[in-house]
Amino acid sequence: MASLSGERWREGLPDHEMIKKLQERLHLEPQGTSRRIAKNLTFCLNGDFFIWDNVESVFYTTNLRQLNSEEAEQHKHQSLLCINPPLFEVCQVLLSPTQYHVALIGQRGATVLELPQRWGKKSEFEGGRLGINCKTIPVAERFFTSSTSVTLRQAAWYPSETEDPHLVLLTSDNTIRFYNLKEPQTPARVLPVSQSEEESSVHTRGRSYAASLGEIAVAFDFGPLVDAPRQLTSQRLKEDLLVFPLYILYENGETFLSYTSLTYTNLGKLLGPLPMYPAAEDNYGYDACAVLCLPCVPNILVIATETGMLYHCVVLEAEEEDDGGAVERWSRGSETVPSLYVFECVELELTLKLPAREEEELAESDFTCPVRLHRDPLCQHRYHCTHEAGVHSVGLTWFNKLHKFLQSDEEDKDSLQELAAEQRCIVEHILCTRPLSSSLPAPVRGFWIVSDLSLGATMICITSTYECLLLPLLSSIRPPSPPLLCSRVGMGEGSGSSPLRGLANDSFEQHIRNILARSSTNPLMLRSGDKDSSSPTPECLQLLSRATQVFREEYILKLDLAREEMQRRVKLLTGQKNKQLEDLALCREERKSLREAAERLADKYEDAKYRQEAIMNRMKQVLGSLRSQLPVLSESEKDMRKELQTINDQLRHLDNSITQVSMKKEYQTKQMVKGSSPARPTITLNAHQRKCIQGVLKEQGEHIADMMKQIKDIKNHFSF
């Protein structure tokens, strides 16, 4: 029952009052090109689910844990109102690293909303008030108002949690600006990202030429903290300076690098382009649109294009021996830069590929759309893609083997390529909102991963019609739980583990998982919001044929292969079991024979021990008789004779002492008889004298008793 109550929020959230309110106001939203792009208007914070309403410019929030309870107010929600609402349409909401601010991002500006404080029994915003006015901070409002041709391409929070919150904006004029919330109208730092120096002087015409050549920065992402390079620390800076690497992606597929720090504003310098290996003639495609740096070691850089291609690049640190001449010509200095090793290329199935004629395949391949990349808070080796046609989930199953390869001393490039060809990433087509290129666009409006394990790992997707979908995550990509500390004891000795387990690198379970791994899936398919625009019958038949083919090839066929492999494994294990049973029977017979032999040996041992003792006694008797017949006394006999002589002398001395004592006793008796005559007068003694005499007599009596006892003992000892 506890597990069922913990899953109650999955049923209550899609039918929540705030979701129904958004569905009712869907027709009031502006009809423009913004409805064709994927948005992200949701996020979660400490179990609270937030969703933005573009019509009312308000945040709706509810607590997912309270949806698990059976209280009457489980459908209650709070509204976070903006004091100064944004004048542009919000396309993305970003939670700050300190979790105190939310950035409202649009193509024509950015506004930061400050979250209210919590208090009360349930830790709700301002004690549970239904409507709360929140402070809003317009960022670069003057700049966007004066520059009407400039649009906002991407925004992100500066990843530092210890410094003041800064919002980083990439605009269409090839400039990245850092804004401090304390001074939101003046950039704290400006980083031009133009590839040519001449472009900075020529604005409009230079940007048009750069756009035609694909030299426009389209995306950026921060990497994890690293030590500042030597060429930066040598410039009178601290040697232990930590900086954030900023990867900047251009539309032509080139990637530049800049090391950023809020303490040293003059630190950043555009380096690149980063060389990509192995080299490709088309520079790994054009129309790049998104970049993502996975926070793992080594760093994995994901580059996405509008055609649905994903490039997984391993960031390799630069070595001093490398020939930096080619890089030096393109960079603004002679510094060495990291290189990108393209480990694998993956193509996303944006619209479903149907078995059709060639002309239809050509038409289908022309579909392109921007792709957004999202990190997974539960697994560093997994990320998610949202776009106009749906949602994909990508898991890098090869990262652990790559990490072991890089830690080893191997330098064979062929083995690295074999590793890339042996185990590829897993791509899961989660949601399809545009099955055909001719279908109407229906991009997602919200995407989030619930990282609270008490609620369960769940993917939340908000469709174009504000339908809330709760989808399970890829369980095969999630890293295994670390072993218990008690299980590590004795692992070095190998006690308790089968030696056959050390012969196999992968378990049979992993082998079955590899067989069942699917290269394509049947996603959850949704229609567009227009009910009248349904797909034609031939296209529906093609979709059905495609789904049937996928089920046959990716599910049924692979299940049959797994079943055959398991049957083969069962047959092999059955033969090994029979052989082990035969060996066990032989071992039992040998144990029985050994036990009988041990009993016989025990009887023989007891018999031999008894005979040995009898022989030892006879040997002692023989040696004693031989010793007694010798004419010469032994040392022990001599010592005994001396002792007897000494005892004889002592007895003679004691006899004399006894004689003297007897004589003294007779003399005292006579004296006492003479003293008892009536003629003599009586002697009167006082108490003290009487006590002294009694003490002397008592001591003498005890001394005499001891001497008598010694005499008796001596007589008994020598039998006198």
Side-chain angles (χ1 to χ4, degrees):
M1 294 299 294
S3 61
L4 294 177
S5 61
E7 302 292 335
R8 190 178 290 115
W9 72 273
R10 301 175 188 265
E11 301 177 358
L13 183 60
D15 299 331
H16 201 274
E17 181 182 352
M18 64 180 185
I19 301 295
K20 294 181 179 179
K21 185 183 298 185
L22 291 172
Q23 294 174 355
E24 294 174 357
R25 297 177 181 175
L26 179 61
H27 64 282
L28 299 178
E29 292 190 356
Q31 304 291 332
T33 57
S34 60
R35 298 195 64 177
R36 299 176 59 90
I37 61 176
K39 301 179 181 180
N40 190 11
L41 305 178
T42 61
F43 71 94
C44 288
L45 175 62
N46 298 327
D48 291 330
F49 176 73
F50 294 79
I51 186 169
W52 174 259
D53 185 3
N54 265 322
V55 177
E56 298 291 336
S57 296
V58 62
F59 258 123
Y60 298 130
T61 177
T62 184
N63 191 275
L64 299 180
R65 295 191 182 93
Q66 294 183 11
L67 296 181
N68 288 331
S69 62
E70 299 180 356
E71 298 179 1
E73 298 181 355
Q74 61 179 354
H75 291 284
K76 172 187 174 183
H77 69 277
Q78 294 179 283
S79 300
L80 305 185
L81 309 175
C82 298
I83 296 179
N84 185 11
L87 302 178
F88 51 85
E89 184 179 0
V90 178
C91 299
Q92 186 182 10
V93 294
L94 297 174
L95 181 65
S96 66
T98 57
Q99 298 182 351
Y100 294 136
H101 301 85
V102 179
L104 308 176
I105 309 300
Q107 294 182 351
R108 289 292 303 160
T111 300
V112 176
L113 181 142
E114 185 176 347
L115 293 177
Q117 296 182 354
R118 300 172 182 264
W119 64 72
K121 179 180 179 181
K122 299 179 180 179
S123 185
E124 296 177 330
F125 291 111
E126 294 192 359
R129 292 175 53 187
L130 298 181
I132 304 172
N133 289 325
C134 299
K135 178 183 177 181
T136 54
I137 306 173
V139 178
E141 184 179 16
R142 187 183 304 113
F143 170 75
F144 285 104
T145 303
S146 60
S147 304
T148 57
S149 61
V150 177
T151 59
L152 180 60
R153 292 187 178 272
Q154 185 181 349
W157 288 99
Y158 191 77
S160 177
E161 298 181 3
T162 58
E163 299 173 298
D164 293 336
H166 283 69
L167 192 63
V168 185
L169 305 180
L170 171 62
T171 53
S172 59
D173 58 348
N174 264 9
T175 306
I176 296 179
R177 296 175 175 85
F178 296 75
Y179 287 92
N180 192 343
L181 296 186
K182 295 181 180 179
E183 298 179 0
Q185 301 303 326
T186 304
R189 180 187 171 192
V190 178
L191 177 64
V193 292
S194 302
Q195 297 187 14
S196 59
E197 296 291 342
E198 294 79 4
E199 186 181 340
S200 59
S201 59
V202 183
H203 297 282
T204 306
R205 184 173 299 177
R207 286 200 299 270
S208 63
Y209 290 153
S212 62
L213 297 176
E215 297 179 355
I216 297 294
V218 294
F220 67 91
D221 193 24
F222 289 95
L225 272 176
V226 295
D227 295 329
R230 295 181 180 178
Q231 62 267 21
L232 299 180
T233 55
S234 61
Q235 301 174 0
R236 294 178 299 175
L237 300 178
K238 297 188 298 182
E239 295 184 357
D240 56 347
L241 177 63
L242 297 178
V243 295
F244 287 98
L246 177 61
Y247 297 97
I248 305 169
L249 178 66
Y250 287 78
E251 191 176 7
N252 57 6
E254 294 180 346
T255 305
F256 282 70
L257 175 64
S258 176
Y259 295 100
T260 60
S261 174
L262 296 179
T263 306
Y264 301 94
T265 57
N266 57 348
L267 181 65
K269 186 177 182 180
L270 200 62
L271 306 175
L274 305 185
M276 302 179 70
Y277 302 104
E281 296 180 357
D282 59 347
N283 196 25
Y284 294 97
Y286 296 94
D287 295 332
C289 59
V291 63
L292 178 65
C293 182
L294 299 181
C296 50
V297 180
N299 293 340
I300 304 296
L301 204 66
V302 183
I303 299 176
T305 65
E306 293 185 359
T307 58
M309 293 296 298
L310 299 176
Y311 301 100
H312 297 153
C313 307
V314 182
V315 181
L316 302 178
E317 297 297 333
E319 298 181 358
E320 296 180 357
E321 293 82 3
D322 293 343
D323 185 12
V327 179
E328 184 176 354
R329 290 195 302 269
W330 290 94
S331 63
R332 299 182 178 178
S334 59
E335 296 87 354
T336 58
V337 295
S339 58
L340 302 179
Y341 181 82
V342 183
F343 191 81
E344 67 175 351
C345 304
V346 180
E347 182 179 3
L348 296 180
E349 192 178 7
L350 299 180
T351 57
L352 300 181
K353 297 179 180 180
L354 304 178
R357 296 185 299 272
E358 296 181 358
E359 57 271 12
E360 294 185 1
E361 292 181 356
L362 293 175
E364 181 181 344
S365 62
D366 294 338
F367 175 75
T368 59
C369 64
V371 179
R372 292 178 179 266
L373 302 178
H374 307 267
R375 291 186 180 90
D376 193 309
L378 297 175
C379 181
Q380 296 181 350
H381 312 151
R382 178 174 57 192
Y383 65 94
H384 308 277
C385 310
T386 59
H387 45 82
E388 181 184 335
V391 179
H392 285 78
S393 180
V394 182
L396 308 182
T397 57
W398 42 262
F399 179 79
N400 293 328
K401 290 188 177 180
L402 175 64
H403 186 66
K404 293 179 181 178
F405 175 82
L406 295 178
Q407 285 184 341
S408 62
D409 298 333
E410 298 182 9
E411 297 182 357
D412 188 8
K413 296 182 180 179
D414 296 335
S415 60
L416 185 60
Q417 294 177 357
E418 291 177 0
L419 175 61
E422 176 185 356
Q423 190 172 10
R424 301 182 62 85
C425 67
I426 296 179
V427 180
E428 187 83 3
H429 199 171
I430 302 295
L431 180 64
C432 180
T433 59
R434 189 172 183 177
L436 301 174
S437 58
S438 59
S439 303
L440 293 178
V444 294
R445 295 179 180 266
F447 176 85
W448 191 260
I449 301 296
V450 179
S451 59
D452 193 346
L453 298 180
S454 62
L455 298 172
T458 309
M459 177 188 298
I460 299 179
C461 293
I462 306 297
T463 64
S464 60
T465 58
Y466 287 104
E467 181 182 357
C468 183
L469 301 178
L470 305 178
L471 306 173
L473 289 175
L474 267 174
S475 59
S476 58
I477 310 301
R478 191 178 306 168
S481 301
L484 298 177
L485 295 178
C486 59
S487 63
R488 299 181 180 179
V489 179
M491 291 180 64
E493 296 84 358
S495 60
S497 61
S498 173
L500 296 178
R501 295 184 181 272
L503 300 178
N505 295 328
D506 295 331
S507 62
F508 181 70
E509 180 181 356
Q510 185 63 34
H511 179 58
I512 296 298
R513 288 180 182 272
N514 295 335
I515 293 177
L516 296 177
R518 300 185 293 271
S519 58
S520 62
T521 56
N522 280 324
L524 180 62
M525 198 174 304
L526 298 178
R527 297 188 305 172
S528 61
D530 192 0
K531 298 181 180 180
D532 299 332
S533 59
S534 60
S535 301
T537 304
E539 294 182 355
C540 293
L541 181 59
Q542 291 177 354
L543 291 176
L544 180 60
S545 302
R546 189 260 183 194
T548 305
Q549 183 179 358
V550 169
F551 278 124
R552 182 181 296 109
E553 295 179 356
E554 299 295 333
Y555 290 84
I556 300 177
L557 182 60
K558 293 187 177 182
L559 285 174
D560 292 339
L561 293 177
R563 182 188 61 184
E564 293 177 359
E565 189 67 23
M566 294 176 68
Q567 290 177 352
R568 190 181 302 109
R569 181 78 171 185
V570 168
K571 184 178 180 181
L572 177 62
L573 293 178
T574 303
Q576 292 180 357
K577 177 184 177 182
N578 295 332
K579 183 64 173 59
Q580 291 177 357
L581 290 176
E582 294 177 0
D583 295 341
L584 184 60
L586 293 176
C587 291
R588 288 176 178 173
E589 293 179 359
E590 291 181 0
R591 183 182 64 179
K592 184 178 180 180
S593 60
L594 289 175
R595 184 175 297 173
E596 294 176 355
E599 292 178 357
R600 292 194 298 269
L601 290 176
D603 295 339
K604 291 182 180 180
Y605 172 75
E606 294 294 336
D607 190 13
K609 183 178 180 181
Y610 174 75
R611 293 182 180 181
Q612 183 182 5
E613 291 178 355
I615 293 173
M616 290 296 294
N617 293 331
R618 292 179 61 186
M619 291 289 293
K620 291 180 181 179
Q621 293 178 1
V622 171
L623 291 176
S625 61
L626 290 176
R627 178 68 65 180
S628 62
Q629 294 178 2
L630 292 176
V632 182
L633 296 177
S634 62
E635 294 296 333
S636 59
E637 291 176 347
K638 292 179 181 179
D639 294 339
M640 188 175 181
R641 185 179 63 180
K642 291 180 182 180
E643 185 178 358
L644 290 175
Q645 290 177 357
T646 304
I647 293 174
N648 191 15
D649 295 339
Q650 292 178 356
L651 289 175
R652 189 180 300 107
H653 177 68
L654 289 175
D655 191 12
N656 295 332
S657 299
I658 291 172
T659 304
Q660 293 177 5
V661 170
S662 300
M663 293 173 62
K664 289 181 180 180
K665 181 179 179 181
E666 292 177 358
Y667 174 76
Q668 290 177 359
T669 304
K670 291 179 181 180
Q671 292 296 328
M672 289 176 64
V673 172
K674 291 179 181 181
S676 61
S677 59
R680 304 186 78 171
T682 59
I683 300 174
T684 59
L685 299 175
N686 55 17
H688 178 69
Q689 291 176 348
R690 190 181 300 107
K691 187 176 181 180
C692 291
I693 293 174
Q694 289 177 356
V696 172
L697 293 177
K698 185 177 180 181
E699 291 178 359
Q700 290 293 330
E702 291 178 355
H703 182 64
I704 293 171
D706 291 339
M707 293 178 64
M708 293 296 294
K709 186 177 180 180
Q710 291 179 2
I711 293 172
K712 187 181 295 185
D713 293 339
I714 292 171
K715 288 183 179 181
N716 293 333
H717 181 71
F718 293 100
S719 299
F720 284 173

